[in-house]
Amino acid sequence: MPDDVTQEGWCDLSDDARSPEPATIVIFGGTGDLAHRKIIPALYNLALSGSLPEATRVLGFGRRDLDDASYRASLEESCALFSHRQPLDRVTWDGLAARIAYLRGDMEDDAAFARLAVAIAAPGMPENALFYLAVSPEQFGPAARRLAAAGLGSRGRPGSTRRPGGFRRIVVEKPFGVDLASARELSRSLQDCFDEGDIFRIDHYLGKETVQNLLYFRFANAIFEPLWNRHHIESVEIDVLESAGIGSRGGYYDQAGAARDMLQNHLVQLLCLAAMEPPSSLDPESIREEKAKVLRAIPDYGPAGLLARSLRGQYRAGTGADGQAIPDYRAEAKVRPDSTTETFVSLRLEVDNWRFAGVPFRLRTGKALDRQASEIRVRFRRPPATLFAATCGDRLAPNLLTLRIQPDEGMWLGFNAKVPGAARLAANRLRFAYRERGADYLPEAYERLLADALAGDTTLFIRADEAEQAWRLVDALEGAWAGSPQTPLVPYAAGSPGPG
């Protein structure tokens, strides 16, 4: 413990938190990239920290012809590569591997789901089941329906999520649809088969430690919460910037673009956490309701308003931040040579409520930029134009609070102080960085999210109405762009700060 932190400064909330329950975790797409790079390494890390219940079982579901031994061997190789806890602990891995099995099946085969139901009900298996759909989004609805047909859904089952006979929960990855209509259709499909409280929509950004810290930072500190309003905050900027191009994702990205790929989920969720009102409690639904209220408070600007508030760009050939050449976006694999898909988007919004009326929130995301950073910057209003502000004017640095999500996770507060030996003001920073405070290991997002799904804690997962409200916003933006062909698609060189 650092010298300046005493035991009295700790408030342990873990006693009030829900604990993961043992379950059979069924990974649909069990041989795929997501299972190998994220899900299994996260389960291994949970086991290593003692957070994965001993009775938990893992069942990979896929089309490849594998036996249990070969499946475990492929997962071990991936875990050794992608777990952030290195080197691989042999005792922990062997203990987890002994609880992993493989079931060959096709996502469109009803008989395979019937075999799955038999495997889950076998003697010695946990009574709970968590179904992780690590498959393409168009398979979410059909998979839920086949699970329900095999008796594995939760809709209409008696009791609560801690019901006799065990829980049945389903996990789906973003994107939750491609527009508002498809998001609603997906919600209907899932809710026909599972209760809303058993549907866990993952946005991995919400599992990051520094994103979670937004709630703690805002509502546990009396020096900030009274200032967190339109009277003291001038503007808020939310950036999720990437230095790499689209790489091998051209087939998907050219259909989606920056607004659908990043704005609709990651940036909107950060906006909700930055702008939400204090929830009535730490209960998951209280928190999710306040996030939904933020989205409902964003005005309908109309096409002309959205065009005036947005900027879209597309990268051209250049040199990336790592010194490597990045080709023109239109020359990337599986990208149309005449593509008008945006790789950069900036959007200015307001949250039309009492706390933030009139405060601009600027959301910005893009590919092939000059830096890799995800952060929220809160700019406070300048002091009245007397004393120092009257003399210094714009030379008086603003108080800027930066909440860095990645890399260099932490927060920085800019303030003004006297220069020793001179009648001069200079900008300074108070700095808190997790790694500088002895946090050698920050849990990966999927660790937290998987543990919460096993515990039935929906706090960090997206509710149906949140997803739909976010699509309402992005649909309107996409519609404004499509309805105004003359709207410029601003080119920018790869490795540059981007347009605007």
Side-chain angles (χ1 to χ4, degrees):
M1 185 181 301
D3 293 339
D4 58 342
V5 178
T6 65
Q7 186 64 38
E8 288 73 22
W10 292 83
C11 176
D12 192 347
L13 304 177
S14 58
D15 289 344
D16 297 325
R18 303 180 188 182
S19 299
E21 297 183 57
T24 299
I25 302 173
V26 181
I27 307 174
F28 292 96
T31 60
D33 195 60
L34 180 60
H36 280 74
R37 287 176 173 265
K38 296 295 184 181
I39 300 173
I40 293 298
L43 292 174
Y44 162 78
N45 292 339
L46 288 172
L48 189 61
S49 64
S51 301
L52 188 70
E54 284 290 333
T56 297
R57 299 290 183 268
V58 179
L59 187 59
F61 185 105
R63 291 183 297 178
R64 294 178 58 187
D65 188 10
L66 299 173
D67 58 20
D68 291 349
S70 57
Y71 183 55
R72 291 166 183 162
S74 71
L75 295 180
E76 179 182 353
E77 182 178 345
S78 295
C79 222
L81 284 172
F82 300 116
S83 169
H84 289 230
R85 309 282 290 271
Q86 297 292 344
L88 200 68
D89 182 83
R90 175 53 52 189
V91 173
T92 301
W93 172 255
D94 288 347
L96 177 61
R99 295 181 271 159
I100 297 175
Y102 182 76
L103 177 65
R104 184 184 181 190
D106 191 287
M107 294 293 294
E108 299 179 0
D109 183 5
D110 293 339
F113 283 78
R115 293 195 300 273
L116 173 62
V118 172
I120 288 174
M125 299 293 279
E127 65 176 4
N128 301 318
L130 179 70
F131 305 108
Y132 200 123
L133 300 185
V135 293
S136 57
E138 62 268 17
Q139 294 179 304
F140 291 167
R145 289 192 290 272
R146 288 190 171 91
L147 284 168
L152 297 174
S154 72
R155 188 71 172 170
R157 299 182 80 212
S160 66
T161 54
R162 295 175 181 269
R163 56 178 65 85
F167 63 68
R168 299 288 182 266
R169 297 175 184 149
I170 190 167
V171 180
V172 295
E173 287 268 344
K174 80 167 186 77
F176 315 120
V178 296
D179 54 22
L180 179 57
S182 59
R184 285 175 172 164
E185 178 58 32
L186 175 60
S187 290
R188 283 193 292 268
S189 296
L190 295 175
Q191 291 167 351
D192 283 346
C193 306
F194 290 84
D195 294 331
E196 176 62 28
D198 294 322
I199 301 170
F200 290 73
R201 299 172 185 83
I202 275 191
D203 181 341
H204 72 271
Y205 249 63
L206 294 184
K208 294 181 180 294
E209 282 290 327
T210 41
V211 174
Q212 298 169 48
N213 190 45
L214 267 171
L215 286 176
Y216 291 71
F217 179 81
R218 282 193 55 194
F219 301 124
N221 292 294
I223 61 173
F224 288 110
E225 178 53 26
L227 306 181
W228 211 265
N229 56 59
R230 58 190 167 86
H231 298 296
H232 302 285
I233 291 178
E234 181 178 286
S235 64
V236 180
E237 296 181 345
I238 301 175
D239 283 353
V240 178
L241 311 177
E242 300 179 81
S243 58
I246 61 166
S248 61
R249 300 178 68 215
Y252 161 76
Y253 198 91
D254 204 42
Q255 299 298 317
R260 288 190 175 98
D261 185 51
M262 297 292 286
L263 182 67
Q264 187 273 336
N265 39 74
H266 297 339
L267 280 91
V268 163
Q269 286 298 314
L270 294 178
L271 166 65
C272 290
L273 290 169
M276 64 184 279
E277 293 292 330
S280 59
S281 73
L282 292 177
D283 175 76
E285 285 310 306
S286 296
I287 294 172
R288 298 208 295 179
E289 178 58 25
E290 293 304 331
K291 289 167 59 188
K293 287 179 182 178
V294 172
L295 296 176
R296 292 195 289 264
I298 296 174
D300 181 2
Y301 296 108
L306 287 169
L307 291 176
R309 293 167 173 275
S310 65
L311 175 66
R312 56 198 299 258
Q314 188 183 83
Y315 67 79
R316 297 292 179 254
T319 303
D322 60 357
Q324 299 297 310
I326 296 178
D328 191 295
Y329 173 75
R330 294 175 178 177
E332 298 273 22
K334 299 182 181 180
V335 171
R336 295 164 295 163
D338 59 347
S339 173
T340 57
T341 298
E342 79 284 352
T343 61
F344 175 95
V345 62
S346 172
L347 179 63
R348 189 179 78 256
L349 300 171
E350 281 87 31
V351 179
D352 196 8
N353 61 14
W354 186 260
R355 179 184 291 264
F356 278 118
V359 176
F361 285 76
R362 185 189 184 202
L363 282 57
R364 197 168 63 120
T365 185
K367 299 279 190 183
L369 298 170
D370 61 345
R371 64 191 183 107
Q372 182 95 7
S374 298
E375 62 188 27
I376 300 171
R377 293 185 301 280
V378 180
R379 181 183 293 266
F380 291 92
R381 297 190 185 279
R382 293 180 183 275
T386 57
L387 300 177
F388 301 110
T391 303
C392 299
D394 290 343
R395 290 172 295 164
L396 185 66
N399 296 131
L400 187 67
L401 175 65
T402 300
L403 304 167
R404 175 66 66 84
I405 297 159
Q406 64 179 25
D408 304 322
E409 296 89 343
M411 56 197 69
W412 297 266
L413 177 64
F415 67 99
N416 296 298
K418 181 181 180 297
V419 175
R424 185 182 307 156
L425 279 166
N428 293 271
R429 290 199 305 175
L430 293 174
R431 173 185 174 93
F432 167 82
Y434 276 96
R435 298 191 189 280
E436 292 177 7
R437 303 295 293 182
D440 296 327
Y441 177 73
L442 293 177
E444 288 290 292
Y446 279 88
E447 293 177 45
R448 173 63 187 270
L449 295 171
L450 279 166
D452 283 355
L454 289 171
D457 186 340
T458 56
T459 304
L460 301 178
F461 295 85
I462 312 301
R463 206 167 65 180
D465 58 341
E466 286 184 70
E468 292 171 15
Q469 285 291 333
W471 276 121
R472 173 186 67 84
L473 174 64
V474 171
D475 273 8
L477 179 61
E478 294 276 2
W481 290 340
S484 181
Q486 70 273 21
T487 302
L489 181 68
V490 182
Y492 64 96
S496 73

